[in-house]
Amino acid sequence: MKLYTLLSKLEDKSIISRNDLERELHISESTLRNLKSKANAIGKYHGFTIQTIRERGYHLDVWDKEKYEKFLTKENYLPTEGLDADKRVSLMLYILLQSNEYITYEYLSNLLDVSKATVIRDFKEVEKKINESNLQLEKRSGYGIRVIGNEQDIRKAFSKYVICNSAYIQPVKGYFEFIKEIDVDEVTEKFKELLKKYSLEVTDASLANIVEHILILLYRSKQKKYINQFDSYPVEPCFTEIAQQIIDWLQERYPIVIDPKEVDLLAAHISGKTFSDKMISDQKEEITDGIKDILNEIDEEFLTNTKDDELLLNALIIHVLPLINRMYHNIQLTNPLIDKVYSEYANVFLLAMRFSDLIEKKYNFKLSKDEIGYIALHFATHFERMKNSKKEQYKKILVICGTGGGSAQLLKIKLKSIFPHASVSTIAVNNMKETDYHSYDLILTTIPLEEEYKDVPVIFIKEWLDENEIARIEEIIMMRAKENQITTTIRDIWDLFHEDLFYVDGIRDYKKMLVHMGDDAIKKGYANDHFTELVLERENRFATIYKNGVAGPH
């Protein structure tokens, strides 16, 4: 970054001429002027100014040495090359939520190394995300912009856009500097000790979320940013006792004054993220029956078999019990893996969304995308377990290989990664007539077979098994396993595809393209009259655009 190079040159001499700077930095006069302007826009937040000394050159004036030295550390370096709009928005949220001062468009422009017009354009999305968090942007002429709103909502946004964005190392890093002063492991162990004392259980994700809340509580309290209101709902006495004990311990351990109202908020978090079989036996029975009904409805809609999976049922019960308490107190888990879950388990996410719709209908509350992401993980685990179970059914596998020899042995070894407990045999083409095919559970062949083997499933495979081919074999096995469940008019997956619905269109706006293609499917008789409306409802709920121009199916 040329800004750091410029500062290092100016540090070497009290004054350096414009010509010398242009030569040493290999830049033009106009570029140097722009760089100086950028440096001063950033410098007013970090304790330095570059002055122009008439007829002599440039001089570096450091008026806050501590801020300046922090800015120069490698930890403060902000890589700006290749930042797309999403990353810029993410970084601006990161900076705004950590700053107690007003931030200008010029500061963000210089920091992110983009034009002011680009920052203003990106800021529409920043403001949208801020508003979605029940917060507002206060814009003050001559000062800049800052985030305002309810302290509880600020902390939620802080958790989502600052802590979960820790892959970026920014000049605004107050929270992460503060955390270095806190023994996080000690705080975690103290909290776990209290949970054990009160016979409460917690998942790893919920434990991390509660500790995160405690750290934000400490950070904001140190800044004297206290919750201005919290509508407290009744919780079991044990949760309040735990909250009071942990806050008393924190105040003894660290020189930070914590407002008494924090006890109720922390108690609500603990109530919404922990569970105890002793306390909620009646509620557990009611929720168990409700989840069974929902899984049964999902199986009818998606042609799945989730209702018979006891492990899935138990996992969902354990998740939904504290979830109801969270919704009651308007507290939600943050999910740092949400984008990965959404992109890698797109179809499972659809099923989780339907489960969430039915939960919302039953209990009358709205789930966030993060919460749905956790539910999707439970369903993803179910399908991975089912996939392994289906593969276990194939005990004896025959591989027919055109080349034989070393390639046949390599195929056999690679197939062991898919069927680790199966007996895999390989034969060459010239030995086919001597083989009793009916003694095998599955035939994999690299060459077309003239004879049909109705009693034994046959899958045509490539001679070279890469990751894509292995994934394809697993998908075929899953599709074969489901064939007996399908009772609708769709007899084969290919019945879902129609040649006259595949074409290249010049529409650049994604939603307009969805409307066009949805209406086209209706016009050609492939979908009912409400299809486009349903597609848009799905898109407005959660976008099907992932990353790098890839979109998921509707």
Side-chain angles (χ1 to χ4, degrees), residues 284-294 362:
K284 183 176 180 179
E285 184 177 345
E286 179 188 341
I287 289 173
T288 300
D289 292 340
I291 291 177
K292 284 181 178 179
D293 291 340
I294 290 172
K362 185 173 182 63

Side-chain angles (χ1 to χ4, degrees), residues 151-152 155 220-229 256-259 261-262:
E151 176 64 18
Q152 189 180 349
R155 293 185 190 183
R220 298 294 287 181
S221 294
K222 187 177 182 180
Q223 294 180 317
K224 294 183 171 51
K225 300 290 184 181
Y226 305 115
I227 54 173
N228 39 29
Q229 65 177 50
I256 299 172
V257 177
I258 300 175
D259 190 280
K261 291 195 291 291
E262 298 285 358

Side-chain angles (χ1 to χ4, degrees), residues 2 20-28 31:
K2 289 191 180 296
D20 287 345
L21 281 174
E22 289 171 11
R23 184 178 64 255
E24 292 183 32
L25 294 175
H26 305 288
I27 58 177
S28 65
T31 301

Side-chain angles (χ1 to χ4, degrees), residues 119-300:
V119 170
I120 293 172
R121 184 171 63 248
D122 290 343
F123 227 78
K124 293 177 182 177
E125 185 63 24
V126 172
E127 188 160 16
K128 177 183 174 184
K129 291 183 180 296
I130 289 293
N131 292 339
E132 286 173 353
S133 301
N134 296 320
L135 300 171
Q136 298 82 41
L137 288 175
E138 182 183 57
K139 301 174 184 178
R140 190 174 175 186
S141 179
Y143 287 84
I145 304 162
R146 68 175 181 177
V147 176
I148 60 171
N150 182 285
E151 176 64 18
Q152 189 180 349
D153 292 325
I154 288 176
R155 293 185 190 183
K156 287 181 184 177
F158 191 94
S159 173
K160 184 172 184 178
Y161 296 116
V162 175
I163 295 178
C164 293
N165 196 17
S166 57
Y168 300 104
I169 300 174
Q170 309 303 327
V172 184
K173 60 182 192 311
Y175 174 77
F176 298 104
E177 288 292 337
F178 169 78
I179 289 303
K180 292 177 183 177
E181 304 170 12
I182 306 297
D183 189 333
V184 179
D185 290 337
E186 185 183 32
V187 173
T188 303
E189 288 305 313
K190 180 63 179 178
F191 181 68
K192 287 167 68 176
E193 178 187 312
L194 288 170
L195 290 180
K196 186 176 181 180
K197 176 182 174 182
Y198 285 87
S199 302
L200 292 171
E201 297 183 51
V202 64
T203 65
D204 289 342
S206 295
L207 175 63
N209 268 259
I210 296 171
V211 172
E212 178 184 292
H213 171 81
I214 293 171
L215 296 176
I216 295 173
L217 180 160
L218 283 171
Y219 176 63
R220 298 294 287 181
S221 294
K222 187 177 182 180
Q223 294 180 317
K224 294 183 171 51
K225 300 290 184 181
Y226 305 115
I227 54 173
N228 39 29
Q229 65 177 50
F230 174 60
D231 297 325
S232 178
Y233 295 94
V235 298
E236 293 285 342
C238 71
F239 298 124
T240 304
E241 291 172 18
I242 292 172
Q244 186 66 65
Q245 288 180 53
I246 194 75
I247 283 178
D248 289 344
W249 177 82
L250 288 169
Q251 290 189 115
E252 290 175 7
R253 183 74 176 76
Y254 301 101
I256 299 172
V257 177
I258 300 175
D259 190 280
K261 291 195 291 291
E262 298 285 358
V263 174
D264 290 335
L265 179 56
L266 179 55
H269 272 273
I270 299 170
S271 169
K273 297 170 184 176
T274 62
F275 57 94
S276 167
D277 287 339
K278 295 178 183 177
M279 291 168 45
I280 50 180
S281 56
D282 293 339
Q283 187 184 17
K284 183 176 180 179
E285 184 177 345
E286 179 188 341
I287 289 173
T288 300
D289 292 340
I291 291 177
K292 284 181 178 179
D293 291 340
I294 290 172
L295 291 180
N296 189 61
E297 190 168 341
I298 282 174
D299 287 342
E300 291 180 4

Side-chain angles (χ1 to χ4, degrees), residues 290-450:
I291 291 177
K292 284 181 178 179
D293 291 340
I294 290 172
L295 291 180
N296 189 61
E297 190 168 341
I298 282 174
D299 287 342
E300 291 180 4
E301 290 183 25
F302 289 85
L303 304 177
T304 53
N305 189 27
T306 62
K307 65 180 183 297
D308 296 328
D309 186 350
E310 287 294 325
L311 291 175
L312 173 63
L313 176 63
N314 290 333
L316 289 172
I317 291 168
I318 290 172
H319 185 86
V320 171
L321 281 168
L323 169 64
I324 292 172
N325 283 335
R326 285 201 297 278
M327 297 303 100
Y328 189 61
H329 295 289
N330 192 27
I331 293 170
Q332 305 218 22
L333 285 175
T334 53
N335 191 342
L337 298 176
I338 185 63
D339 290 334
K340 201 167 185 66
V341 175
Y342 191 33
S343 58
E344 294 193 12
Y345 292 98
N347 292 332
V348 175
F349 206 92
L350 286 174
L351 192 147
M353 282 175 57
R354 182 57 180 147
F355 179 91
S356 301
D357 287 340
L358 295 169
I359 283 284
E360 290 171 5
K361 183 179 178 182
K362 185 173 182 63
Y363 295 102
N364 196 30
F365 52 66
K366 199 76 173 173
L367 295 184
S368 69
K369 184 177 176 181
D370 295 73
E371 291 280 7
I372 296 174
Y374 279 115
I375 292 171
L377 282 174
H378 291 303
F379 281 103
T381 302
H382 159 78
F383 286 111
E384 289 294 335
R385 193 162 52 242
M386 292 302 102
K387 183 166 65 176
N388 290 333
S389 174
K390 297 300 180 187
K391 289 190 294 184
E392 290 292 325
Q393 294 178 8
Y394 299 106
K395 303 293 185 184
K396 193 175 179 183
I397 300 170
L398 176 66
V399 181
I400 303 172
C401 183
T403 54
S407 62
Q409 289 304 309
L410 183 58
L411 267 176
K412 181 176 179 179
I413 292 170
K414 288 196 172 186
L415 285 169
K416 274 289 185 181
S417 67
I418 309 176
F419 308 98
H421 305 296
S423 170
V424 180
S425 304
T426 61
I427 62 169
V429 180
N430 54 10
N431 293 327
M432 288 175 60
K433 293 183 179 179
E434 305 168 7
T435 303
D436 179 14
Y437 300 105
H438 299 288
S439 65
Y440 291 93
D441 301 313
L442 177 67
I443 297 174
L444 303 173
T445 175
T446 63
I447 60 171
L449 299 181
E450 295 179 2

